[in-house]
Each structure stands twice: as C-alpha cells, then as structure tokens.
Amino acid sequence: MVILSQSSAAGVLALLSEPDPVFKQHALKSLNALVPRFWAEISEHIALIESLYDNDDMPKDARDSAALLASKVYYFLGEYVESLSFALGAGNAFEAESRVSGSEEYVETVMSMAIDKYVEEQTNGKQDKVDPRLQRIIESIFTRCISEGEYKQAVGIALESHRLDIISKIYEQVKDTSILTYAMEAVIDSGFSLSYRDTVLRFIYPLFPRPTAGDGSSLAQSLTRLLVTLGDPSLTVPLLVSLVPKEYLLAYQFSFDLVEGGARDYLDLVGAQLPTGNADTQEIFDKIRSILTGQESVKLYLEFLKRNNHVDTLILKHTKDSLEPRSSIYHTALTLQNAFMHSGTTSDLFLRENLEWLGLASNWSKFSATAGLGVIHKGYYEQGKTILGPYLPQNGNESSIPGAAYSEGGALYALGLINAGCGTEISGYLREALRTAQGEVVQHGAALGLGIAAMGSKNMETFEDLKNVLFMDSAVAGEASGYAMGLIMLGTAAEEPVREMLSYARETQHEKIIRGLAIGIAFVFYGRQEEADETVKELLAETDPILRYGGVYTLALAYAGTSNNDAVRQLLHIAVSDVSDDVRRAAVTSLAFLLFKNPSQVPRIVQLLSESYNPHVRCGATLALGIACAGTGMQDAIEILEPMTKDSVDFVRQGAFIALGMILLEQSEASSPSLASTRALYSRIIADKHEDPMAKLGAALGQGLIDAGGRNVTINLQSRAGSRNTNAIVGMVLFCQFWYWYPLAHCACLAFEPTGIIGLDGDLKVPKFEFTSNAKPSLFAYPPTTPPPKKETVTKVATAVLSTTAKVKAREKKKAATEGDAMETDEKPDTKTDGDGDVEMKAEGTSKASTSKAAKKEPSFETLPNLSRVTPAQLAYISFSSDGKYQPVRVVTAKPASTRVGKNVKQVEEKVAGGGGILILVDRRPEQQAEFIQFETVIQPPPAEPVSTSDGDSPGAVESGLHIALDESAPEAGAPSSFEYPFNNDS
C-alpha cells in the first residue's frame, strides 16, 4: 500500500475550531511537525493559535504547544523577536523541541536571540528586570555547555552577559587554569570596555593557583600578562613577596617578564613598594629592583646582538657603490640601511671604513647620519654619552662652526634612541640641552631624544619645557615638540594637555607643527579605547586634513591590538570616502595597529584596497601588510605585495619593498621560497640607474629591515608577556611618518625585538649550557652570505694591422715555424695526454663529491649554546634535556609545535606571544662545576666627525689605526716619467 504525502494542513487546522479541548490539543501537536512544510498556510490562523496560548482554560501542555507553534511560525515569517517571545512562553515544549531531529536551525536561532537579549539586558544594568523565563533558558544553556564539556563556549557567554559566577563555577569544577587563561585573553583581546576588563581580571586573578618553578605549565605567562594589563602594583608586589625566598628564581623570572611588557611608571612603582627585606632576603629584593629598572634586560640583549652579529657587509658595499653619495636622499637611504642592519650591535665598522662617504653628508643628511649612531648603539646606555661625545653640544653651548648644529641635533636624538626603555637617567641631560638650545635644529633633536628617552614618564615639568619650545612657533622645533609631548603623556588620556595641544594646532599656520601635535594627541590616548571616542569624533570632523589624519591614528592607537569591529569599520569607511589622500593612506595603514594580533586576517581585509585606483590607498595597504605580518613570512601577504613591486607609481613600489623586508625578517630560504628572489630584487632595483629615487629608497630600507639587528631581531607589536609592545607600536607609528620627515624613520629600531634564548642562573650570571632545536637546521638557519663579485677577465680586442706589417709578421712566423717544427711535433702528444689525464681526474673528483653529498643527510635537530638566536617560530621546537644541569623555571613558550617539520613546512602565521627571551634556570646539579660566559666591555671611539671644516662638506679628523682614510693635507704624487709605447709589438 502506497502512503500518500500530505498536501495541506487544512484538515488539522480545522480541528483548532472544535469545541472539545482534546481535539485542539491533538491539532496543536500535529501542526508542530507540519510547520516546516505548511508554515504559510498555518500563518493565516496565527491569531487563533495565539488565543489558544492566552486561554487559561486550556491545559498547560496545550498552551505550551500553542506557544511553540506560534514561535515556529513567526520564525519562518522572519519575525525573530516575536518568535523568541513565544518560545519563552513554550516552557517544557521548547526544551523538548531542542531534542527533535530537523529542528536544530530553529532552536539555534532562538537560542542566539535569547543570548543576545539576555546580554543586552545584563549590560544595560537591568539585571533585576530580566524575564525569569529568559533566565531559565540561559541557565539551561550554561548547564548543557558544562555537561557537554564546552567550557570555553560557556565562558564566552558568561563574559558577554557579565555572569562572572559562571567562570568561577566552571573553574571550581574542572580546576584547569586554561579556562582562566581563556577568559583573560578573551576579555583583553576583544572589544570589552576598560572598566569591565579590569573588573574581570581582578575577579579571576585570585582564582589562579600559586605558581611554582618548573611546573611545565604556562601559568607564569598568563599571570604576567594579567599583571601587566592591570598595571596595579598592589597586586604585583604581594605576588613577588610571596615568592621570596623559597621561589626566588621564579620571582626573578616574573620581574624580567614584567619588564618585557610593563609601562615604565608601573615598574618604577613596583620597585619602590618592594620591601627592603631581612638579612636573608635583602639581596634578592635588591636584585629584583635592579631587574625592574629594565637595564639588566637591555645589557643582556645588547651582548646577545654583539655576539651574534651576522651582517653581510657586501650588501652595504653594493648599495654604497650603486647610489650617488652626493644626493641627499641616497645618502639618507644608505645611512638608514646601515643603521637598521647594525641596530644594537654597536658595530660602526662600515662608517669607519667609509669616512669619505660619511663626510659628504650635509644639513639634514648629516643629522640623520649622526642619529644613525643612536640606532647602531641602541641599548648601550652606559657609554652613550662617551660614544656621542664629539658630536654633542660642548659645555651646553652650540658650536659656531657652520653645519655643526645638524650633528649636535642628531647626537641628542641619538642619545634618546640609545636610552629608549631605560632613559630615566639621561632625561635630565636632554631637558637641560633643550632649555639651553637656541637653534631650531638642536631643539628638534633634543625634543625627539627627550620624548623617546622619557616615553610614558608623565612628567609635567618635561611637558612644560616642550610646550615652551612649541610656543616659539618654529616649524622644525615645534613639530618635534608635538611628537615629544604626546610621548611624555603616553596613554594618560589627560584632558588638559590634549586641550592645549589641540588649541595650538588650530591656531598655528605651520603644517609640520599641526602634524606633530596631531600624532602627539594620538599617543596621549594610546590604549584608552572608549575614553578616546569623543576626541576621535572631534578630530575626524575637522576641516583640516592634517587633524583628520591625527584622528585616524588616535582611533588606531586607542584600540591598538583589540581588533575592535567598530574601529575597523570606521577606518575602512575613511579609507574609501575621505577627500584627502593622506588621510586615506593613514586609515589603511592604521588597520595594522588594530589587527596585529591576528595577522592572517589582514591580507583578506586589504586585498581589494591593494587594487584601488588611488595610489595612496595602495601604498597604505603595503605598510599595513608589512607592519601586521612582520616576521611571519606569511605567503598570503607576499603574494599581494610582489605584484605591487612593479606598480606604475614610485611610492607604491617603495612601500612594497619596505613591507617585504618586514615580513621576511628572520626567514630562511627553506621556510620562505620568496626570500632569495626578494633579495635579488633589492639588489637589482638599487643598481638600476633608471629606477626612481623613491623606489631605490624603499629597496634600501627593505634591505636594512630584512637583515635588521645583525639578522637577530624581529618586529613584533606584541610583547613576550602577551601584552601590547608599547615601544614597538610607538616606533612603527613614528616610522610611518618618514613619508613627511626622513629622520623619523630611525624610530623603527624601537620595534626591533631580539630573538634569542638567554639563560641566567640564580646569581644572574650567564652559564654555558646547551639546548635542542627539534627541527632541521636549514629551516631556521641564517641566510647565506653574499658571494664576493668575481673578477672579470678583460678580453683583448683585435688590433687593426696594416697590410705591410702583416706581410712582415707572416714572413717571421713562417721562418720560426720551419726552425722549430721537429721540437713542436715531439711535445704535442705529451701535452694532449696531460690534458686528458687532468680531465679524467676532475671527473673522478666530481663524482666522489656528489656521492658523498648524496650520502650526507640533513639531521632532524640541532644543539644550540646559550645566547643563541631562536626565532619566534622556532620557539615551539625548543627543548631542554631532562637530565641536563639546567632547567628553565617556566616553559619556553605556551605555543605547541607543529607536527610537520621539513622544507615545505608552513610557518607559524599567528604572532607568538610569550616565550623565549631571558630565562632563569634551576641548577639541578649544583655539585657540578659551572662555566660562565664572560662579557667583554670594549669602548670604541666614535667615527671621525664628518664635518669639522668651514665648508662642512669634507671629512675632518682622520681615524688613525687599522682603517686608513685619505689625507687631504698629504703632498700630491708626482707625474710618471716619460715613455714611448711600442706600437709595432702590441700583439
């Protein structure tokens, strides 16, 4: 018998009109199953169904069925609010429906609506007015998530709905710190308000267990990130005190990790509030205070960069030989390339060997060249003033030598770069230099140096000194003061300083000053999220495009690292709608500062923008990719950038070259197939005499960035502690301003993060030990050095011979051939045999070499000593031998290793947060004699002052020693003696 399918619900609907409740109840249950097919027909009777739900004479089960039926009909009609309202009234019928096959989509939609409504009421302060039926559904969702082990889903809903008790309940049940870590990361990295973020972090902090050394968990990284984010000494000091003296090694580790991400004022307060300690603990607390100054970390990283310097000087030599040194832009390009490649290595060998080239710098090129010393010696704060001594203003007075002001200004700027991150001591000197400086160039350098050295100090006296320079209304000095004022008040959101800066920006006629103040305002609101909204709205409504430009950066820095959807949407709107090209370019570039924690999202977002008709938008897309994806080797980003290196507009090509250099930082030829071709492209562009200067500058900067810090640093806007890397973000924002002012490009060095493992024992000494990298050495190897150029053999061109000369030579040749015929005949066979023998021997040697090469297989791991380079992607493969003398007190990284290791392994494309860096080691075998690495302190005199003569263009003092420069005072060589060329014997 064939069962006919139902073609209408009319028969069942007719039962709803029957007077007997039993028929109505049967009809309601039957219609619930028919809704997906006949919802349009049933919707005509919706009023009757609602009346049955409201009828108190009906049994509760029947009323629940009527509510469920009405909810499902409204769902299919697209009326989701009504659908939720009736679903809440359906009670047990809705719960039963969630278990019926085929109803999953309806149930999920209603659940989502319920969660959204609950979250809305909870966040709007209506907790007491929440519908009990809605509360019941939410509680059932929590219960189901917990019973099914979907803890992260429950934590997510709990955070959205401000139900922190659920987080506590889940943790008490499972006792898994990963749940607390997930809640912490979710509230920090998502778009929650600052006040709620702090509430959540303070709630979950006591739930974390007490950390212990060597527990093998990532608890230390999680606690460090929480403490750095809150920036509250009242939580940090008790933790450090509780670890002393039993877990004092872990206290040292926490201190080093806090320095990686903590704000300067926060670290100073923690150090000041630590107790003095008793006879047993005083030394430990003194060491913790010393670590918190940041100077210990800077010293260790400086030594690491000096020891592992792998700069390829042939690349610099090629650039120098290819670019015309008398051109200001080319001189600056090589200055920046050399500074980036040697950043932090303290190696100024290239400058010493090229004093004549250095002496060709004039005016602002000289400023940049001197400031480059600050990049090279970055972190060498102990000898900073000694190194820069010949260039600094002497006795507080400016030099009267023409052109010397540029060297003095550059030296003050360099001093700030050297002391970045630990500049509290040098700030007083720079403030005094700023007050006594008369010329705008020296004021410019002093203001920039002071801003960088005293970044985030919130010192109002320094702010007032900078404001006095600003009010002089000098375009050059005022611009630097604007940047520095923002850097001093970094992240304070202070109303009065912002009001003063904005007021002056509207009054002045100098575009440079307006731009400096606009970016300065952006720095003031760094990380302040919703507190910056009013100022952002005010700036974006300005008619002056430079202030709108500042508004874009204010928005980006306020929500830096949060991936806030509203902020991203606003920037994308500005990128396609603003009338100013500069503002549009800045909007696209600023996407990187919002999304740097999710770099894999950036290529997808800027894909269409990279194909825009507007070259400024395309240029912004290149820098967005470079900054967000720096150091990842991400192929998706490279595939977008490679076609842009052939763009018709020079500054788009420039941006593409710079971005490629950032992305391919610390990549090997095995991990990134684009590395070799990109390096070859840089060399070709720089050597091409017909290429645009802008593109050549970009290629030179790209070469400097790809080999930055002696090939031992990366660019990461996220610190090892997992928080925002303030120095790196500030450095990249200032670097982006090189579009208007080349000296600001030096600030890129603030974003350079050394990537190595530096192990310290309990006495903070550096012992000798080894650890294992469980990956093929080629995967994370240094790039091969450039082979030296081959000497080209000059082929002799055939000489024109007169007919009479040819006849004479022919006769002589014939005569000689006749006389030596017999001797030649004897020698020929021997010569041939020797030749054949040589060929055979070479063939045999070649075959042996190839056989041995084939037999030698690359190992799957390598052993590395202390103070070795370990790239962020390599951290996941690092392990310490279980029976070794030393073990780290915390795990090397919280990220698991990829299961694939090989030539075509896909590199880690997400930023690695936490891990590596400075590790405190537990000595498992104290009875064994330890060996330590000795640090060498060599104070090198600075390279000769490039200008000391009156015209300011020729090199002055000549460096004595191994590196010899041309001495212009030496007598000229005499002319060669006369001679006669033998024209008849030129063959």
Side-chain angles (χ1 to χ4, degrees):
M1 180 178 177
V2 179
I3 299 175
L4 298 174
S5 61
Q6 193 168 348
S7 60
S8 172
V12 185
L13 286 167
L15 296 176
L16 293 176
S17 303
E18 292 291 327
D20 192 339
V22 177
F23 288 115
K24 293 177 180 178
Q25 199 166 347
H26 173 73
L28 290 170
K29 288 183 179 179
S30 301
L31 286 169
N32 266 318
L34 298 175
V35 171
R37 291 174 58 201
F38 303 112
W39 59 267
E41 189 177 355
I42 298 171
S43 66
E44 296 176 4
H45 299 78
I46 191 68
L48 176 58
I49 296 168
E50 289 183 21
S51 67
L52 291 175
Y53 166 64
D54 293 331
N55 189 347
D56 294 334
D57 297 333
M58 294 284 290
K60 186 176 187 312
D61 290 347
R63 293 180 62 199
D64 288 352
S65 295
L68 179 63
L69 179 60
S71 173
K72 291 173 79 172
V73 170
Y74 277 121
Y75 164 74
F76 282 104
L77 288 170
E79 299 287 344
Y80 297 125
V81 176
E82 293 291 331
S83 177
L84 173 62
S85 177
F86 282 101
L88 293 176
N92 295 332
F94 180 76
E95 291 182 16
E97 184 70 17
S98 64
R99 296 187 287 272
V100 175
S101 177
S103 299
E104 293 85 357
E105 188 177 339
Y106 158 70
V107 172
E108 286 180 11
T109 304
V110 171
M111 290 282 198
S112 298
M113 292 291 297
I115 293 170
D116 289 345
K117 185 172 178 62
Y118 184 71
V119 167
E120 182 183 351
E121 293 187 358
Q122 285 285 104
T123 53
N124 289 340
K126 300 178 181 177
Q127 291 91 336
D128 300 334
K129 300 178 182 178
V130 176
D131 191 328
R133 300 173 302 174
L134 179 62
Q135 185 83 33
R136 189 170 62 251
I137 284 186
I138 297 300
E139 293 297 338
S140 71
I141 292 173
F142 283 133
T143 304
R144 191 178 73 181
C145 287
I146 294 171
S147 63
E148 293 177 359
E150 297 289 345
Y151 302 122
K152 291 184 177 180
Q153 190 172 355
V155 168
I157 299 171
L159 287 173
E160 289 278 0
S161 58
H162 293 209
R163 288 290 303 276
L164 303 184
D165 59 301
I166 298 295
I167 299 174
S168 177
K169 178 182 176 183
I170 294 172
Y171 178 70
E172 292 298 329
Q173 182 174 327
V174 298
K175 292 294 181 183
D176 185 357
T177 55
S178 65
I179 298 298
L180 301 178
T181 300
Y182 175 79
M184 177 195 72
E185 290 176 346
V187 78
I188 292 174
D189 295 337
S190 304
F192 290 103
S193 67
L194 286 179
S195 57
Y196 179 59
R197 181 198 73 183
D198 290 354
T199 301
V200 173
L201 294 181
R202 291 179 186 279
F203 177 82
I204 64 176
Y205 176 66
L207 300 178
F208 277 104
R210 188 173 181 272
T212 55
D215 59 0
S217 71
S218 57
L219 177 60
Q221 280 106 325
S222 300
L223 282 173
T224 301
R225 187 175 185 194
L226 189 151
L227 293 169
V228 165
T229 304
L230 283 175
D232 186 354
S234 65
L235 295 178
T236 310
V237 173
L239 173 65
L240 293 174
V241 171
S242 70
L243 295 173
V244 177
K246 289 185 178 179
E247 296 280 0
Y248 74 96
L249 293 179
L250 200 56
Y252 291 161
Q253 185 67 68
F254 267 111
S255 301
F256 276 116
D257 290 347
L258 289 171
V259 168
E260 297 283 355
R264 184 74 264 145
D265 58 330
Y266 158 66
L267 296 173
D268 291 341
L269 285 172
V270 172
Q273 293 180 22
L274 282 172
T276 307
N278 54 31
D280 296 330
T281 60
Q282 182 176 358
E283 184 182 357
I284 296 173
F285 282 120
D286 287 345
K287 285 183 178 178
I288 292 174
R289 269 188 284 271
S290 174
I291 294 169
L292 289 172
T293 62
Q295 295 183 351
E296 294 295 326
S297 299
V298 170
K299 278 188 210 171
L300 290 167
Y301 286 131
L302 182 72
E303 184 67 23
F304 162 75
L305 291 174
K306 284 162 66 177
R307 285 176 175 267
N308 294 281
N309 184 7
H310 279 71
V311 169
D312 190 345
T313 52
L314 283 177
I315 295 176
L316 283 167
K317 185 176 183 304
H318 172 262
T319 305
K320 174 181 168 292
D321 294 342
S322 301
L323 298 182
E324 168 55 50
R326 293 191 179 276
S327 168
S328 173
I329 186 171
Y330 290 152
H331 199 286
T332 300
L334 184 54
T335 295
L336 290 170
Q337 180 180 339
N338 174 55
F340 290 161
M341 290 172 76
H342 287 97
S343 176
T345 64
T346 70
S347 171
D348 52 14
L349 185 64
F350 177 79
L351 298 178
R352 294 171 183 278
E353 291 179 345
N354 295 279
L355 291 173
E356 186 178 4
W357 165 81
L358 194 60
L360 295 175
S362 61
N363 300 332
W364 288 107
S365 294
K366 189 184 303 175
F367 181 95
S368 293
T370 314
L373 288 172
V375 179
I376 293 169
H377 295 279
K378 179 177 175 283
Y380 203 5
Y381 64 91
E382 294 172 314
Q383 299 295 332
K385 287 178 71 174
T386 305
I387 292 165
L388 295 168
Y391 309 100
L392 291 168
Q394 303 301 318
N395 303 320
N397 300 317
E398 294 179 34
S399 173
S400 58
I401 300 174
Y406 294 97
S407 291
E408 293 176 354
L412 292 169
Y413 180 22
L415 202 56
L417 292 170
I418 287 174
N419 288 272
C422 53
T424 49
E425 296 175 4
I426 206 68
S427 300
Y429 173 82
L430 290 170
R431 279 181 61 192
E432 186 61 32
L434 180 69
R435 280 197 291 262
T436 58
Q438 301 298 319
E440 60 179 12
V441 177
V442 179
Q443 288 176 336
H444 181 87
L448 286 177
L450 181 57
I452 292 167
M455 187 191 306
S457 64
K458 306 177 178 59
N459 188 312
M460 285 307 298
E461 293 179 5
T462 307
F463 184 85
E464 289 298 321
D465 289 342
L466 290 164
K467 191 167 70 173
N468 293 336
V469 175
L470 175 73
F471 288 164
M472 294 178 184
D473 207 41
S474 161
V476 173
E479 180 187 27
S481 298
Y483 291 127
M485 289 162 75
L487 290 171
I488 298 296
M489 307 302 292
L490 185 71
T492 59
E495 292 183 9
E496 186 61 25
V498 169
R499 188 188 61 77
E500 290 180 344
M501 293 165 75
L502 191 54
S503 173
Y504 193 79
R506 287 170 175 153
E507 291 174 8
T508 187
Q509 299 299 312
H510 297 292
E511 289 188 358
K512 290 172 74 69
I513 294 178
I514 299 171
R515 186 172 295 106
L517 289 169
I519 299 297
I521 291 170
F523 287 143
V524 174
F525 284 104
Y526 167 72
R528 304 307 298 185
Q529 297 191 21
E530 67 274 4
E531 294 177 26
D533 288 349
E534 285 299 318
T535 304
V536 169
K537 187 177 178 182
E538 186 180 353
L539 288 170
L540 292 177
E542 291 280 346
T543 55
D544 187 340
I546 302 177
L547 288 176
R548 295 203 304 278
Y549 177 91
V552 166
Y553 274 104
T554 306
L555 176 63
L557 289 180
Y559 290 94
T562 63
S563 304
N564 184 280
N565 286 333
D566 292 333
V568 171
R569 194 178 298 113
Q570 197 169 357
L571 287 177
L572 289 172
H573 175 70
I574 295 168
V576 296
S577 63
D578 201 278
V579 295
S580 167
D581 286 336
D582 286 351
V583 178
R584 295 176 70 173
R585 187 185 67 254
V588 183
T589 302
S590 295
L591 289 169
F593 297 106
L594 289 172
L595 300 168
F596 63 79
K597 289 183 182 176
N598 302 296
S600 56
Q601 301 292 326
V602 179
R604 183 175 57 84
I605 291 175
V606 305
Q607 170 76 55
L608 290 175
L609 294 171
S610 69
E611 299 170 6
S612 168
Y613 73 91
N614 189 319
H616 290 264
V617 173
R618 299 201 299 274
C619 180
T622 63
L623 288 177
L625 287 168
I627 294 169
C629 305
T632 62
M634 192 182 297
Q635 200 59 34
D636 290 345
I638 293 170
E639 287 171 359
I640 295 174
L641 288 168
E642 283 181 338
M644 300 178 80
T645 60
K646 303 179 184 68
D647 198 278
S648 59
V649 180
D650 55 357
F651 59 77
V652 177
R653 298 200 298 278
Q654 179 192 72
F657 294 141
I658 292 171
L660 282 171
M662 292 181 180
I663 293 171
L664 292 171
L665 253 173
E666 288 199 321
Q667 300 300 305
S668 67
E669 293 185 357
S671 65
S672 181
S674 303
L675 182 66
S677 60
T678 303
R679 288 181 177 277
L681 176 64
Y682 286 150
S683 298
R684 182 170 57 79
I685 294 295
I686 288 172
D688 187 353
K689 293 183 178 180
H690 304 290
E691 186 59 77
D692 291 303
M694 290 294 100
K696 286 189 174 186
L697 172 66
L701 289 176
Q703 272 189 334
L705 291 167
I706 205 171
D707 288 336
R711 298 178 171 174
N712 294 298
V713 301
T714 188
I715 293 175
N716 197 345
L717 303 192
Q718 193 172 0
S719 72
R720 289 190 185 88
S723 59
R724 291 185 299 259
N725 187 344
T726 301
N727 275 7
I729 293 171
V730 167
M732 279 292 108
V733 169
L734 288 171
F735 172 76
C736 290
Q737 311 313 311
F738 84 92
W739 178 277
Y740 308 99
W741 194 236
Y742 288 145
L744 293 174
H746 293 76
C747 292
C749 71
L750 299 176
F752 293 166
E753 183 180 80
T755 57
I757 285 186
I758 303 171
L760 303 179
D761 67 359
D763 296 325
L764 302 186
K765 294 180 180 178
V766 185
K768 292 181 179 179
F769 71 93
E770 293 182 334
F771 54 91
T772 306
S773 172
N774 298 296
K776 291 185 177 181
S778 64
L779 192 61
F780 302 110
Y782 285 103
T785 55
T786 307
K790 295 179 180 178
K791 292 183 179 179
E792 297 181 3
T793 54
V794 181
T795 56
K796 193 170 183 179
V797 181
T799 312
V801 182
L802 295 174
S803 59
T804 53
T805 308
K807 288 177 183 179
V808 171
K809 286 186 177 181
R811 283 195 298 270
E812 291 177 355
K813 192 174 182 182
K814 188 175 180 180
K815 183 180 178 182
T818 306
E819 292 174 353
D821 189 35
M823 185 173 59
E824 286 179 9
T825 307
D826 291 339
E827 288 176 355
K828 280 181 183 177
D830 293 340
T831 307
K832 187 174 182 182
T833 306
D834 291 344
D836 290 344
D838 286 344
V839 171
E840 286 176 10
M841 287 175 65
K842 286 177 183 174
E844 185 182 349
T846 307
S847 64
K848 283 183 181 178
S850 61
T851 307
S852 63
K853 191 174 182 181
K856 187 178 180 182
K857 188 180 179 183
E858 186 182 8
S860 59
F861 69 93
E862 64 178 323
T863 304
L864 300 171
N866 194 7
L867 286 175
S868 288
R869 182 186 88 154
V870 178
T871 68
Q874 190 179 3
L875 282 171
Y877 301 101
I878 297 300
S879 64
F880 283 73
S881 174
S882 57
D883 58 350
K885 178 176 170 65
Y886 294 105
Q887 292 291 328
V889 296
R890 67 155 166 81
V891 292
V892 176
T893 179
K895 301 287 181 182
S898 169
T899 55
R900 295 179 299 158
V901 182
K903 184 171 182 179
N904 297 321
V905 69
K906 186 178 181 183
Q907 285 287 69
V908 179
E909 293 187 346
E910 295 299 323
K911 292 286 178 156
V912 179
I918 299 170
L919 294 176
I920 301 296
L921 305 169
V922 179
D923 189 350
R924 294 284 178 85
R925 298 177 181 174
E927 70 279 2
Q928 288 185 3
Q929 185 69 28
E931 293 184 57
F932 298 100
I933 298 172
Q934 299 299 324
F935 289 2
E936 296 178 8
T937 307
V938 179
I939 304 175
Q940 296 182 346
E945 172 73 57
V947 53
S948 60
T949 54
S950 58
D951 59 6
D953 285 335
S954 58
V958 178
E959 183 69 20
S960 61
L962 295 175
H963 313 299
I964 301 170
L966 295 176
D967 187 356
E968 293 184 355
S969 61
E972 292 186 5
S977 58
S978 59
F979 63 94
E980 187 175 347
Y981 185 76
F983 290 100
N984 294 332
N985 297 323
D986 59 352
S987 59

